[in-house]
Amino acid sequence: MQYLLKWLGVVTTIVMLFVLIGGALVTKTGSSQGCGRSWPLCHGKVLPDPLTLETIIELSHRLVSGIAGILVLCLVIWAWKAIGHKKETKLLCFLAIFFIVLQALIGAAAVVWGQSDAVLALHFGISLISFAAVLLLTLLIFEVDKKFDADNAVIGKKMRFHIYGIITYSYIVIYTGAYVRHKGASLACPSIPFCSENRLFPQTVHEWVQMGHRFAAGLLFIWIAVATIHAIKHYKDQKVMYWGWILAFILILLQALSGISVILSDLNLYLALAHALFISCLFGLLCYFVLLAGRAKASND
């Protein structure tokens, strides 16, 4: 039975990742109204006719999201019974259910009534929390924490500051990135690193939104680099911290490169989806650091 639960966790995590990428695909292709103002049906029908590309994308995203909701519910119930004795399990179960329901409600409201760009930008972030909760729940099922001897890990004050600070700040950066997409500001500044080759500072609202996200993302890159250097210097004996932060730096590097490539390629769809994939994986990894910090012993180092 534990073997089947592990498989359910893996499948649910992958499907949740598809939900995140699917949401980005809907936004990038302008398919949010592919089913009109009808929800949960599409143009008032189960199978609308004709099937345009926008309709197929939006309908597929709804289908995957529905499957994800069912899988999350099954995983939460099963995990609650099987590993409910672990202190993080019940909280993660609540977060996974609560935020996937909230994600569905915001998505439905956006279709039926429409929402501001600021509210729509929350959609990706809310889905991200639900994905992270499912990922951590799956890691608990696989007892990854025991394999890394998390109960005997020692994490100093500086590293805890990096972990809690970066996870909080990264969520803000993710929101600004989502806001750029929904605001239609992705190509407001076609030059790298500044908004234009002819001037240093942005002028229009869209340019400020784009450059604000770049500045915030740049600070996140620097902060993760600093945390990685700290981990390499002081946590060589703790593999999860040592290699975990190296992986985090690789992901933020890929995130930065994909973001630059999106601009230079005039919004190449595959690069844009890779951009969403890298930040999703990075956020999941940062959430795992938070779980480890909650279990590890404290030190003054």
Side-chain angles (χ1 to χ4, degrees):
M1 293 298 287
Q2 193 77 1
Y3 176 78
L4 294 177
L5 178 58
K6 289 180 178 179
W7 269 107
L8 178 60
V10 171
V11 171
T12 306
T13 303
I14 294 173
V15 173
M16 285 298 299
L17 194 56
F18 276 121
V19 171
L20 288 169
I21 303 304
L25 178 62
V26 168
T27 303
K28 292 293 184 182
T29 57
S31 303
S32 57
Q33 290 301 312
C35 287
R37 292 292 181 184
S38 178
W39 192 93
L41 300 177
C42 191
H43 293 298
K45 301 177 182 178
V46 176
L47 289 175
D49 184 36
L51 283 173
T52 64
L53 178 61
E54 290 79 10
T55 300
I56 293 174
I57 292 174
E58 171 65 14
L59 193 58
S60 299
H61 178 56
R62 292 188 187 184
L63 178 62
V64 173
S65 298
I67 294 173
I70 295 172
L71 289 173
V72 169
L73 180 61
C74 294
L75 179 65
V76 163
I77 294 173
W78 198 343
W80 190 291
K81 293 181 179 179
I83 60 170
H85 58 280
K86 295 187 177 182
K87 62 180 182 179
E88 301 92 353
T89 300
K90 294 180 180 179
L91 175 60
L92 291 174
C93 287
F94 170 78
L95 292 177
I97 287 291
F98 177 81
F99 281 101
I100 199 170
V101 171
L102 185 59
Q103 167 212 348
L105 292 176
I106 291 179
V111 169
V112 177
W113 299 297
Q115 295 287 352
S116 67
D117 295 327
V119 174
L120 289 174
L122 288 172
H123 195 250
F124 184 79
I126 289 171
S127 302
L128 201 56
I129 294 177
S130 185
F131 161 74
V134 170
L135 173 63
L136 294 185
L137 201 55
T138 300
L139 293 178
L140 285 181
I141 293 170
F142 275 86
E143 297 185 332
V144 171
D145 52 323
K146 290 186 178 180
K147 294 177 182 178
F148 286 122
D149 199 19
D151 290 331
N152 294 321
V154 179
I155 298 179
K157 290 182 178 180
K158 288 183 180 179
M159 181 56 76
R160 289 178 185 272
F161 170 77
H162 288 314
I163 290 173
Y164 295 133
I166 289 175
I167 189 68
T168 303
Y169 182 67
S170 67
Y171 196 77
I172 297 173
V173 175
I174 290 167
Y175 176 81
T176 64
Y179 188 66
V180 166
R181 293 198 301 270
H182 288 286
K183 192 69 176 177
S186 297
L187 287 179
C189 295
S191 180
I192 299 293
F194 302 111
C195 192
S196 172
E197 294 179 356
N198 302 321
R199 50 190 167 82
L200 186 62
F201 298 103
Q203 295 179 346
T204 67
V205 173
H206 285 75
E207 288 177 351
W208 278 106
V209 169
Q210 170 63 231
M211 291 305 296
H213 173 63
R214 290 189 193 181
F215 180 75
L219 289 181
L220 179 62
F221 181 90
I222 294 172
W223 196 347
I224 290 180
V226 170
T228 302
I229 293 172
H230 181 71
I232 291 174
K233 287 183 176 180
H234 301 283
Y235 289 85
K236 291 182 179 179
D237 58 333
Q238 298 187 48
K239 292 183 179 180
V240 65
M241 284 285 106
Y242 183 85
W243 291 108
W245 278 108
I246 291 176
L247 178 58
F249 181 75
I250 292 173
L251 288 171
I252 195 62
L253 179 61
L254 291 173
Q255 174 73 3
L257 292 175
S258 62
I260 294 171
S261 300
V262 167
I263 301 297
L264 297 180
S265 65
D266 195 24
L267 297 183
N268 179 276
L269 181 59
Y270 297 106
L271 291 173
L273 295 181
H275 195 58
L277 174 63
F278 293 139
I279 196 62
S280 300
C281 294
L282 175 62
F283 187 78
L285 177 59
L286 293 174
C287 288
Y288 182 59
F289 288 158
V290 172
L291 184 146
L292 290 177
R295 287 192 165 197
K297 299 174 184 178
S299 74
N300 294 323
D301 188 11

